[in-house]
Amino acid sequence: MHVQLAAAAAAAPLYTGPPAWTFDRVFTMWQAEPVVLAIAVLGTAGYLLGMLRMHREGAAWRQGRTVAFVLGMALWVFTCCSGLGVYEKVVFTDRALQSVLLLMVVPLLLAMGAPVTVLVEAAPRKFRAWMRAALRGRVSQVLMFPLVSTVMLMVPPWLLFFSPWLRLSLTTDSWNYLFHVSFVLFGLAYFWPRLQIDPVGRKYPPLLGIVITIAEVLCDAALGFVLVFGGHLLVPDYWAQLHRPWGLSPLADQSWGGAVLWGLGDIAGVPFLVALIVSVIREDRLKTAEVDQQLDAEAAARIAEQAGKQAGERAGERAGSRTTGRAEPEAAAAPSAAELLEQETMRPWWLDDPNLAHRYGGANAAGES
């Protein structure tokens, strides 16, 4: 009997993956992911050299942008080379967490660093005009169109988990490298035109970005819902051949991964949504200040015109009195600029608001006549 058990144990496939997952091993176990490491090193070096060249030319730059870009690169490396990368082919929840970080958090930080601005401003002067024209060209406008950029953010997770890409990324290094890089590029294609920190082909109102963000949150929730409650295990033969002796069952692991996509995906969109709301408030304040400035300029022009007319009338009256030989009548005191301004400010504000001119133009003209 003991001989049969020993023979069966020897014949059973052995687990060859990393040891049981623990939280501290996420930070203590590391692997070298050559593609991401190369991009991170070259990208960070190029960014810092570009900043140095801009500094030499006297260009102003916010330090917070540099911090955001470096943090984005560091998080990219951590996501693929730390314990998250070590367990990415063994634990589905780990893969789901990677997809959220690579698609939504890393690109957001990189886009906040305005890398395209650094690239353009640090390029040789003879190329800058061409690069700016390309960023405003037809191809750029199509790629940055809200519908196109939103699809680039919503589709990749569905494509990863419900196409052969999932199996290929788990079994083939090249497809796994493609996952590590393409998700960041898809996220950049979304956040670049939405943040509008870097040059964009066309400006879109921040309010549109808020609507798109809400739609993206709903799409993440739908994907998480399917993974949590669908009851269908993805690539079951792959998880079976792992023979992982520790952790959750593959189906329970997939449910937790769906919960991560659902919850963390929504949480990751909150900072971006807050930034868009702040942009809407800031834009509204700028428009209000421009309208106030325009109204003040128009009021000052009317005051100057009215004062000029009154001065001309008094000069004409004095000239007529000298011609006829009559004594000049006692001139009434001319209203001061302060009095004219007070009279002007007593007018209803909506008569002078350019945004309402189409509605009250007739009343305004009638009042002045």
Side-chain angles (χ1 to χ4, degrees), residues 47 50 54 114-124 128 131 198:
Y47 185 90
M54 291 172 59
V116 179
T117 299
V118 175
L119 178 64
V120 173
E121 296 302 324
R128 292 180 189 177
M131 295 173 70
D198 275 323

Side-chain angles (χ1 to χ4, degrees), residues 22-44:
T22 59
F23 183 76
D24 62 314
R25 283 174 177 160
V26 174
F27 299 92
T28 57
M29 297 187 67
W30 293 84
Q31 69 174 4
E33 206 282 40
V35 176
V36 171
L37 284 175
I39 294 175
V41 172
L42 295 177
T44 303

Side-chain angles (χ1 to χ4, degrees), residues 341-358:
L341 179 60
E342 182 179 359
Q343 295 174 6
E344 186 67 30
T345 55
M346 293 298 292
R347 291 167 52 85
W349 63 268
W350 57 81
L351 296 181
D352 300 321
D353 190 339
N355 296 326
L356 302 176
H358 66 283

Side-chain angles (χ1 to χ4, degrees), residues 15-355:
Y15 170 71
T16 58
W21 185 98
T22 59
F23 183 76
D24 62 314
R25 283 174 177 160
V26 174
F27 299 92
T28 57
M29 297 187 67
W30 293 84
Q31 69 174 4
E33 206 282 40
V35 176
V36 171
L37 284 175
I39 294 175
V41 172
L42 295 177
T44 303
Y47 185 90
L48 296 178
L49 289 175
M51 279 188 50
L52 181 61
R53 181 165 185 171
M54 291 172 59
H55 179 70
R56 289 175 179 174
E57 295 183 357
W61 191 253
R62 297 179 183 177
Q63 200 66 26
R65 293 180 178 177
T66 305
V67 173
F69 184 85
V70 173
L71 284 177
M73 283 294 187
L75 182 60
W76 195 356
V77 172
F78 178 83
T79 303
C80 300
C81 298
S82 70
L84 292 178
V86 172
Y87 287 92
E88 64 182 352
K89 297 180 181 180
V90 181
V91 181
F92 183 88
T93 302
D94 193 276
R95 176 68 81 183
L97 177 58
Q98 279 186 315
S99 66
V100 175
L101 295 177
L102 294 177
L103 185 64
M104 300 191 64
V105 183
V106 171
L108 175 60
L109 290 172
L110 295 179
M112 290 174 63
V116 179
T117 299
V118 175
L119 178 64
V120 173
E121 296 302 324
R125 295 184 181 275
K126 59 181 179 180
F127 295 120
R128 292 180 189 177
W130 176 84
M131 295 173 70
R132 293 191 183 102
L135 291 172
R136 295 190 297 267
R138 182 60 59 87
V139 175
S140 177
Q141 291 182 13
V142 171
L143 292 176
M144 295 183 184
F145 186 70
L147 179 60
V148 176
S149 60
T150 302
V151 168
M152 289 185 180
L153 189 75
M154 291 183 177
V155 170
W158 291 88
L159 189 62
L160 173 66
F161 294 115
F162 295 98
S163 78
W165 192 1
L166 178 59
R167 181 187 300 275
L168 291 170
S169 69
L170 293 172
T171 58
T172 309
D173 287 340
S174 58
W175 281 89
N176 196 40
Y177 298 157
L178 179 64
F179 160 66
H180 291 162
V181 176
S182 64
F183 264 49
V184 175
L185 295 179
F186 284 132
L188 279 172
Y190 173 79
F191 288 111
W192 177 3
R194 297 285 74 77
L195 287 175
Q196 300 186 14
I197 298 176
D198 275 323
V200 293
R202 180 180 299 174
K203 292 284 187 179
Y204 294 98
L207 187 59
L208 177 61
I210 294 177
V211 175
I212 292 174
T213 302
I214 294 174
E216 186 272 327
V217 167
L218 295 176
C219 185
D220 285 342
L223 176 59
F225 183 88
V226 171
L227 292 175
V228 172
F229 300 106
H232 172 69
L233 181 63
L234 304 178
V235 290
D237 56 322
Y238 173 81
W239 303 115
Q241 61 88 26
L242 283 180
H243 303 287
R244 175 163 50 85
W246 48 265
L248 300 171
S249 67
L251 187 58
D253 183 23
Q254 179 176 298
S255 296
W256 276 102
V260 168
L261 281 169
W262 190 344
L264 187 59
D266 292 347
I267 293 174
V270 170
F272 182 55
L273 186 61
V274 171
L276 289 175
I277 294 174
V278 171
S279 298
V280 171
I281 296 174
R282 185 181 294 118
E283 182 178 348
D284 184 68
R285 288 178 177 175
L286 289 175
K287 288 183 178 180
T288 301
E290 291 176 359
V291 171
D292 290 343
Q293 185 177 4
Q294 181 179 355
L295 293 177
D296 292 341
E298 292 176 355
R302 283 193 294 268
I303 291 172
E305 182 181 0
Q306 186 177 355
K309 288 181 179 179
Q310 292 178 352
E313 291 174 357
R314 289 195 299 272
E317 292 175 357
R318 287 195 295 270
S321 299
R322 287 195 296 271
T323 302
T324 57
R326 293 178 298 179
E328 294 185 14
E330 185 177 354
S336 63
E339 292 172 341
L340 292 175
L341 179 60
E342 182 179 359
Q343 295 174 6
E344 186 67 30
T345 55
M346 293 298 292
R347 291 167 52 85
W349 63 268
W350 57 81
L351 296 181
D352 300 321
D353 190 339
N355 296 326

